[in-house]
Amino acid sequence: VEDGNFLTDDFLRQLIDVGEADILVGLPTHNNAKSIGAIVHTIRDGILRSFPRERAVIINADGGSHDGTRELITELSISDLHPGSSVYALRTLHAISTKYANTPQSGVALRTILAAAELLRAKACIVISPESEGIGPEWISSLIRPVYYEGFDLVSPTYRRHKFDGLLTTNLLYPMVRALYGTRIREAYMSEFGFSGRLGSHFLGQNQWNDGVGETGAELRLTLAAVTGRFRICQTFLGKKDPVERRAANLVPALRQSVGVLFSALESDFEAWSTTSGSQDVPTTGIAPELLLNPLRVNRKRLREMFVNGVSELESVFQSILSSSTLADLNRIAALSEEKFRYPAELWVRTVYEFAAAHRKSVINRDHIIQALAPLFRGRVFTFVVENRSGSANDVANNIEGLCLEFERLKPYLLEMWKSKE
Amino acid sequence: MREMIVSELSQAVHDLARGFAHYLPRLIVMLVIAFAGWLIAYVIKIILRSILRLFKFDRLAENAGASQLLSKAALPSATEMVSRFVFWLTWLGFLLLGVSVLGILGLQEQTARFFLFLPRLFAAVLILFFGLLAAGFSARAALLAAVNANVPSPRLLSLAVRSIIMVFVLSVVFEELGLAEQTMLVAFGIAFGALMLGLAIAFGIGGRDLARRFLEEKFVRVKKEQDEDELSPL
């Protein structure tokens, strides 16, 4: 750890007490007392079941909880010095906690976990989201095994999700990462993942912690660092993912921490993505993820209204970001009736690429560029929902595949804009 | 008599020649200063224009909304405007310096006042520019936030934010320039008060239906929306 000043003395003392570890489980939290107890129990069960002989530690990086989250975690340590415990364990299972700040910052939390992993010389590490209420003990094994036994450096999750769940991932993140970086990672923005000590140290050593990565989206940066650093990546099926963020108002923060981070990463990774063509599959363990097709009521009218309203109200903003032809096409489709309204894949890809180029050139404030994408994304969601309303899992997969190919086909368009001075 | 006239004439010619001899070198110095001033102002203009282009000042001005104002008034770009402004200011300074060499009493005082006014002018221009930037940024932030929150009339909200900031900035600029401070203070008070009253009337009376709809959407529709599944983006 080159710059260990961000770790508190108390935390360093706890790490020294632990010594070395084979497996590290990172748990970033902030006021998660309601769910964290069950999650830590599951983690503990997973470790005791699948890795009873390994030295394991749970590291909690807390962003200033006031509800006793930290105490709930540390209480669940297992000590081999107290045989009276109801849990049978061969080894001590440490559960230590540190408060890295008074407000949650996912990047700082991850950095703390990475630093702890490096100091403890952990061979395999996983990070579990404190909101993963559907977590089972087998998740722990699924994430650790590929790193611990098969030599993979990054284990990205796949889930069983509803066909309309995670639409920012399926309509932008996955296709764009696939087209630009040439790697077909379904969940580049990961909430649960595993990584090797080698990848952790590599990412920790990158000089990017002071330029915004500390705040948000570090998980996506880790994925991209693994891809550009040519580390061994695999995907593993975990199970059903419950959507935790159901409110539409969360779209802008979601865009910031995923699309904003991806757009920023494109600058530093230009050498890597500009020379990549096509895309390759990533080895996947476990069963193939399936889509849930149960009917879901979606307020399509509101989605379209917000798109139309956005196109009309933000025209002055779009004039700085989009080309005149793309803006004209958006105005054209905004004038269509609900029955005829479609935001075609080709236009969506052009829009996203022009936003990425505008972000690079900082034509206006970068956060404003990201915010301006929200109403357009709603238009795309409307089209995706309409196109796949009665579609089978296969139809939805084909639809997403078609969008991915469109992203790959138009990659030269992004390169052209990227290289042009104005 | 004749001798007296000749003597007076020769005295007048002599005085004229002496006055001419007295002012001619000063006039030449003034012309030299004016020419040198023009040359220096021109060089400064060229250098400043290059620096502003290098730092993409036009884009900054566009973000601030200054470019749109200039374009509406059929004026050149912001870079060109600033370069020309500095050129004329520099040359005017040299011209006044040259005039002061002539030793005309009233003009010397005016020249001194002009040079004392320069720092305030620069400060006022800077305040105006950064004020325009802040107004443009805040207005766009308000517009985006309002659109994404589905608030009715986002442009009106954005315009209100821009207007409030601009009224404040202009009052500070005029105060800095020392132009009609009392008038500006009163005008600012009236304009700000009128704006607030206007907004209150617009939202309270004029926008009664809009307000009702907004509140209905905000509170009545909540239940309806809770019944409908929203989509998780990530």
Side-chain angles (χ1 to χ4, degrees), chain B residues 4 10 15 26 45 54-55 82-84 99 103 109-110 126 131 136 145 154 157 162 167 185 209 213 218 234:
Chain B
M4 271 176 74
S10 64
D15 285 351
R26 293 179 180 221
K45 178 183 157 181
L54 191 72
F55 286 99
V82 172
S83 309
R84 284 187 197 180
V99 169
E109 198 184 324
Q110 291 302 324
L126 272 180
L157 191 73
R162 187 191 291 272
V167 166
L185 192 69
D209 294 336
R213 207 162 54 240
K218 196 77 189 161
L234 284 169

Side-chain angles (χ1 to χ4, degrees), chain A residues 80-385:
Chain A
D80 52 2
L81 299 173
H82 298 89
S85 166
S86 60
V87 182
Y88 172 74
L90 287 173
R91 283 182 175 275
T92 293
L93 174 63
H94 297 273
I96 61 176
S97 175
T98 182
K99 188 175 90 169
Y100 58 84
N102 290 322
T103 50
Q105 290 175 300
S106 66
V108 183
L110 181 61
R111 191 184 187 193
T112 305
I113 292 165
L114 290 172
E118 187 167 81
L119 289 168
L120 298 175
R121 297 170 192 264
K123 294 185 184 84
C125 316
I126 60 170
V127 171
I128 300 290
S129 163
E131 288 158 346
S132 300
E133 290 179 18
I135 185 175
E138 65 283 1
W139 285 32
I140 308 302
S141 168
S142 300
L143 288 169
I144 294 174
R145 260 178 204 288
V147 178
Y148 201 68
Y149 293 122
E150 296 166 43
F152 283 102
D153 290 299
L154 179 70
V155 187
S156 171
T158 58
Y159 304 98
R160 184 184 299 121
R161 303 180 83 166
H162 191 274
K163 62 181 175 180
F164 295 149
D165 197 21
L167 289 182
L168 188 57
T169 304
T170 50
N171 278 267
L172 201 160
L173 282 180
Y174 167 56
M176 193 162 175
V177 169
R178 170 178 156 169
L180 300 188
Y181 289 85
T183 310
R184 297 178 186 176
I185 301 178
R186 302 297 301 217
E187 302 271 349
Y189 186 88
M190 314 169 290
S191 43
E192 288 86 22
F193 54 97
F195 59 94
S196 65
R198 200 168 72 94
L199 173 61
S201 297
H202 167 80
F203 187 58
L204 193 64
Q206 288 189 341
N207 188 25
Q208 57 181 359
W209 296 101
N210 295 325
D211 54 329
V213 179
E215 289 164 18
T216 182
E219 299 82 359
L220 177 58
R221 283 274 194 170
L222 178 68
T223 308
L224 300 178
V227 175
T228 53
R230 298 186 183 283
F231 285 87
R232 288 189 69 207
I233 302 169
C234 76
Q235 295 182 121
T236 189
F237 175 73
L238 293 181
K240 189 181 173 207
K241 185 178 175 71
D242 292 321
V244 284
E245 293 180 359
R246 283 205 171 274
R247 282 178 293 131
N250 286 334
L251 177 58
V252 172
L255 281 167
R256 279 193 190 114
Q257 64 203 35
S258 57
V259 181
V261 171
L262 175 60
F263 284 179
S264 298
L266 292 181
E267 274 188 275
S268 50
D269 296 343
F270 178 72
E271 288 299 322
W273 68 262
S274 62
T275 51
T276 306
S277 59
S279 61
Q280 302 297 320
D281 271 326
V282 172
T284 303
T285 61
I287 58 167
E290 59 194 56
L291 288 171
L292 299 173
L293 303 170
N294 55 303
L296 195 71
R297 279 178 300 173
V298 179
N299 194 340
R300 280 178 288 140
K301 190 183 167 197
R302 186 160 179 263
L303 284 171
R304 188 182 152 274
E305 259 178 26
M306 287 183 83
F307 169 82
V308 173
N309 192 32
V311 170
S312 134
E313 299 288 343
L314 297 177
E315 190 160 10
S316 60
V317 177
F318 290 145
Q319 278 168 352
S320 310
I321 299 170
L322 297 169
S323 67
S324 51
S325 62
T326 304
L327 187 53
D329 284 344
L330 286 176
N331 279 316
R332 183 179 52 76
I333 61 168
L336 296 173
S337 65
E338 194 176 326
E339 292 72 34
K340 290 180 181 169
F341 178 83
R342 290 289 180 280
Y343 196 158
E346 193 258 345
L347 179 58
W348 169 241
V349 179
R350 259 198 295 141
T351 307
V352 172
Y353 280 166
E354 286 178 19
F355 264 75
H359 188 273
R360 190 235 167 177
K361 291 170 189 167
S362 296
V363 293
I364 54 172
N365 176 275
R366 286 183 164 185
D367 187 53
H368 289 179
I369 294 176
I370 298 300
Q371 287 185 56
L373 189 58
L376 304 184
F377 172 71
R378 289 194 171 100
R380 176 60 198 167
V381 168
F382 176 93
T383 301
F384 188 85
V385 168

